[in-house]
Amino acid sequence: MSAFKIAIIGAGSVGFTKTLFKDILCVPEFADIEVALTDVSEKNLTMVKTILDKIVEANGLPTTVTATTDRRKAIEGARYVISCVRVGGLEAYADDIRIPLKYGVDQCVGDTICAGGILYGQRNIPVILDFCKDIRKLAEPGARFLNYANPMAMNTWAANEYGKVDTIGLCHGVQHGAEQITEVLGAKPGELDYVCSGINHQTWFTDLRVNGRKIEKDELIAAFEAHPVFSKQEKVRIDVLKRFGVYSTESNGHLSEYLPWYRKRPEEITRWIDMSEWIHGETGGYLRHTAENRNWFETEYDGFLKDAAKPIDPAKRSSEHASYILEGLETGRVYRGHFNRKNNGVITNLPDDCIIESPGFVDRFGLNMVAGITLPEACAATCMASVNVQRMSVHAAVTGDIELLKLAVLHDPLVGAVCTPEEVWQMVDEMVVAQAAWLPQYAHAIEGAKERLAKATVRTREWEGAARRHIRSVDEMRAEKEAERAAANA
């Protein structure tokens, strides 16, 4: 097999890059590939390259690892480009959570839809399209783009429709959901088979079988309600299972913010969330988690280096899709997974243009999706609400149409359950002004937004308790960032 090149954009995500790299090198045929790392942080690049070089050395491999802050150089000649970027970092993400919370929009994660996810997409999509431009010009002809970055559906939609690059969106929610179901049913690894389909972060286990025996709704409900941990942590998912008849892939916190029913009143939220871990619904939980652990890889660095000196164990290959996709395309060994692709009729009751997450098979002939899937009507209806928001959000991000952006936020299920149109218009103005540095497509609209905010008549709502504590923690984080900048410029 001829050697080829993989470029990883956002490779400064040290832990994730290390996992991807080790997974890829579990494929014997990939020993002599080149992996080109690129990131805006030279410090992180140096750290991750040192780790990957140690892995190569410890395993006696001919693999080449390069690192550069010049993205175009990394992409040049690549057959595969993998992205795991977060545009704006924690500073912009803080606004995704903090500003909507002032208007009563309570998010746990805010990276997919809802006000935070939509603005996240506005920041990411122009950058994704720059990646695509570089791929078309500099990578191997027919190079594939593997996107791990959220908001998954919006990024993948933009890359395919506007970037004109063959893009596959990759997530691990399906695998994690399947692991939960396996546990509650008392099955062993490998005994559960399933069909899971929908859109990213709203995928549904529509067919479950353990050793060929079909698992029906009542059995699954009973299994989750009897579980000593999940019965407390997954209250939203269990409630949706009871009403829809199928289980969602997404965590309690994630799922609760895509729907208009569980987070629209402060007194209701506490009924549905669990505070044992942020992912079960804590207000701004993922922001708090990432802020507190933003330098975790530095404290874990010595451990990473020690681990890198060990032989690669193929039995410990992770469930991340990327390495298996590459293996299927390059070797012909068939891989079945769940992928984010343009629908084109695969799911019969979702629009052709939307990005779905559904089963497919990879081999030398490419990625072939399983067609003819029809979602339960409630699942399709819930997905459709998000699809319409995603479509408007993508088109707004590409055109810089701030009125379309406001309409996208207005139609978001949770935002619409909480806010009036006047509140939505003011909230979006506030968010684009706060994030102007990462929103070049809205440069023409920033002054108008500032003028409207100066005359604003809508009073925002400062929530009590956890919300107030959360807002203070974000402000403190912003102050720390500004102090760091001041020290760097001194």
Side-chain angles (χ1 to χ4, degrees), residues 304-412:
F304 279 167
L305 277 178
K306 184 177 180 180
D307 182 68
K310 299 176 183 177
I312 292 173
D313 182 359
K316 295 182 179 179
R317 188 176 178 182
S318 84
S319 61
E320 296 293 346
H321 294 300
S323 68
Y324 298 97
I325 292 173
L326 270 57
E327 182 178 8
L329 293 170
E330 294 292 333
T331 72
R333 292 193 282 271
V334 179
Y335 173 61
R336 176 190 174 188
H338 290 77
F339 312 109
N340 287 267
R341 296 284 275 178
K342 187 174 180 180
N343 186 20
N344 285 333
V346 169
I347 299 178
T348 62
N349 50 350
L350 290 182
D352 283 351
D353 65 333
C354 76
I355 299 299
I356 60 167
E357 186 167 65
S358 203
F361 294 84
V362 186
D363 58 18
R364 286 194 191 277
F365 295 97
L367 170 54
N368 302 283
M369 302 295 284
V370 177
I373 293 174
T374 300
L375 294 177
E377 289 190 55
C379 298
T382 298
C383 287
M384 273 302 307
S386 294
V387 165
N388 290 330
V389 170
Q390 291 165 354
R391 183 188 291 108
M392 285 189 282
S393 300
V394 169
H395 294 166
V398 172
T399 62
D401 185 340
I402 195 168
E403 295 303 312
L404 184 57
L405 172 60
K406 290 174 178 177
L407 287 168
V409 177
L410 180 69
H411 282 84
D412 177 83

Side-chain angles (χ1 to χ4, degrees), residues 93-146:
Y93 182 34
D95 287 325
D96 289 343
I97 304 300
R98 180 182 65 86
I99 294 174
L101 191 58
K102 291 168 59 180
Y103 294 82
V105 181
D106 184 298
Q107 303 165 99
C108 174
V109 184
D111 69 355
T112 300
I113 57 167
C114 210
I118 293 170
L119 265 293
Y120 188 15
Q122 305 309 296
R123 300 194 302 273
N124 268 28
I125 286 172
V127 175
I128 291 286
L129 296 182
D130 283 344
F131 296 169
C132 290
K133 182 179 178 180
D134 291 345
I135 292 169
R136 293 196 310 269
K137 185 174 182 180
L138 300 170
E140 269 193 17
R144 286 181 168 88
F145 184 30
L146 277 61

Side-chain angles (χ1 to χ4, degrees), residues 176-177 180-181 184 221 224-225 227-242 247-256 262 271-277 279-281:
H176 291 172
Q180 273 195 341
I181 294 170
V184 300
I221 292 171
F224 270 102
E225 290 189 326
H227 194 279
V229 176
F230 297 151
S231 60
K232 298 179 178 64
Q233 294 177 340
E234 305 291 1
K235 297 171 190 174
V236 172
R237 293 168 90 177
I238 293 171
D239 192 64
V240 171
L241 168 61
K242 290 177 178 178
Y247 195 62
S248 166
T249 53
E250 284 318 298
S251 68
N252 204 67
H254 252 322
L255 183 60
S256 68
Y262 299 99
R271 288 182 56 205
W272 296 106
I273 69 173
D274 179 88
M275 294 296 288
S276 60
E277 293 178 84
I279 200 168
H280 307 307

